[in-house]
Amino acid sequence: MSSKTTDYGIEKSLENLGISQQNNGVSSGGSYFASGDMLESYSPTDGKLIAEIKTASAEDYTKVIETAKAAYKEFRMIPSPKRGELVRQFGLKLREYKDDLGKLVSYEMGKSLQEGLGEVQEMIDICDFAVGLSRQLHGYTMHSERPGHRMYEQYHPLGIVGIISAFNFPVAVWSWNTALSWMCGNVTVWKPSEKTPLCAIACQNIISEVLKENNLPEGISSMIVGDHKIGEQLVNDKNIALVSFTGSTRVGRIVGKNVAERFGKSILELGGNNAIIITENADLDMSVIGAVFGAVGTAGQRCTSTRRLIIHESVYDEVKNRLVKAYGQLKIGNPLDENNHVGPLIDKDAVAQYLNSIEKCKKEGGTFAVEGGLLEGEDYSSGCYVKPCIAEVENSYEIVQHETFAPILYLIKYKALDEAIALQNDVPQGLSSAIMTQNLREAELFLSQAGSDCGIANVNIGTSGAEIGGAFGGEKETGGGRESGSDVWKYYMRRQTNTINYTTSLPLAQGIKFDL
């Protein structure tokens, strides 16, 4: 570990979380083992090596699955409120480790410390939500057409839930899936991003404490760090009843197809190309705040990041000028410094994609109100810091139709609201959307069947950030999956219809006669 990491107490946090120079990237219920290659985790904050991880082999994966299968047989028989108690204790542990884990998220991923702590808070919130649900796994009771019969529906766990998560939310998305899975009686196998493996190891260390304290079987929670081959094993494994995948649309297509071919279930959280419509009736102060945070938060690496601003022609120039002024006040630097607004991109590959997107935008005719580029100097020695930029474009540009995981904000002008909604919807993705207006009719139209086609549609709130209580997910190339709140727990269970005949005869449905 670099001596520079002591500047913000990161070394102490790593120690508290059980992270050392060398770590094991395979764990099943607290038992750590691995026989694969070494993986190095570097921080985009300062470019320094944080630690090395021994990754998983194909044989390691098989061992994890066998342990998970054994654990499921026991775990499914534990009453749901008792499983909820496990989740409650995990939430308490997260409260205990919040500062340390939030700091690690910030350091290994590069998001601001405030966002790192906020991500851990999301984990705590979903635990609280799942604990409440553990006593509310309700089915339905129906009236049978046959006398002396009772009909009802109930829900049963699926088995093993596989979770493949992305680097941009290295712990929260796993917890969304895991808390609900455990509450429903499933066991989990987690393949985290290779770009943020230490965050996953830290989470596994925390849940292992809970499992040991409750004498629960190995395999309820497993974590396996490996390359795409391990991911392919998980996706194609008939033992995995449900695969929850967060990542690119390109890979999501492969995951969805392969899981469907074996008749498994999948939750796909894929790309976003999110827009805020700013009408002539908008509160511009609120609009600018929402747009700036949405565009530069997490350095534009959220699936809900604001990519496009669709602005009414009457306020276009004023909004643009306010944005330019706001961008001039942004502080870019070490994300562990709470005075900074923007941290680095995840790695140099992301920087290359960012720079390439800027060049493509210019070639298609885009002009930049705020120029982008790579930041250089001692404070940016990792080579991962870039300038958030603003481009004036047409929605039809090829580059605008794609998701760029970087702080590039596109400005688009419109005349009438129906045109703005059409522009908002005229991209392949359909995750998050928003309208800024003080006009009730405009707001209601945006939320109607003639409005936004996204899974999330907000009024006077930006596109970025979602509460645990609502179902999170999108439509079209975003995948159509849902995670987190509402009745999403049903994704993690199988529905069963039961009919009980408590008479001495056997009447058939639909009045059919079958006499012997």
Side-chain angles (χ1 to χ4, degrees), residues 205-319:
N205 288 344
I206 295 170
I207 189 57
S208 292
E209 291 184 20
V210 179
L211 294 174
K212 289 176 182 177
E213 289 168 3
N214 289 271
N215 296 314
L216 287 168
E218 287 191 0
I220 289 176
S221 173
S222 300
M223 180 275 305
I224 185 163
V225 176
D227 60 15
H228 67 280
K229 293 180 181 179
I230 291 295
E232 289 170 1
Q233 275 189 274
L234 190 151
V235 167
N236 295 313
D237 190 347
K238 291 183 178 180
N239 291 300
I240 307 295
L242 168 68
V243 175
S244 175
F245 173 80
T246 303
S248 70
T249 298
R250 179 187 65 81
V251 178
R253 281 195 177 96
I254 299 170
V255 172
K257 176 184 176 182
N258 289 359
V259 174
E261 282 184 348
R262 61 177 178 82
F263 295 104
K265 296 183 178 183
S266 62
I267 298 173
L268 302 176
E269 296 288 358
L270 312 177
N273 196 346
N274 316 295
I276 298 176
I277 297 173
I278 300 178
T279 79
E280 68 269 41
N281 299 303
D283 181 322
L284 298 188
D285 291 336
M286 290 175 57
S287 300
V288 170
I289 292 172
V292 172
F293 176 73
V296 308
T298 323
Q301 297 173 112
R302 293 187 178 210
C303 52
T304 56
S305 290
T306 304
R307 310 288 175 201
R308 298 174 293 146
L309 279 189
I310 303 171
I311 310 167
H312 190 270
E313 59 182 4
S314 67
V315 295
Y316 182 90
D317 288 338
E318 183 176 357
V319 171

Side-chain angles (χ1 to χ4, degrees), residues 170-226:
V171 295
V173 173
W174 166 74
S175 71
W176 294 356
N177 287 276
T178 298
L180 293 184
S181 292
W182 291 339
M183 182 272 299
C184 291
N186 302 305
V187 300
T188 57
V189 176
W190 179 23
K191 183 198 176 298
S193 169
E194 294 171 76
K195 298 182 180 183
T196 51
L198 299 178
C199 289
I201 292 171
C203 288
Q204 189 67 12
N205 288 344
I206 295 170
I207 189 57
S208 292
E209 291 184 20
V210 179
L211 294 174
K212 289 176 182 177
E213 289 168 3
N214 289 271
N215 296 314
L216 287 168
E218 287 191 0
I220 289 176
S221 173
S222 300
M223 180 275 305
I224 185 163
V225 176

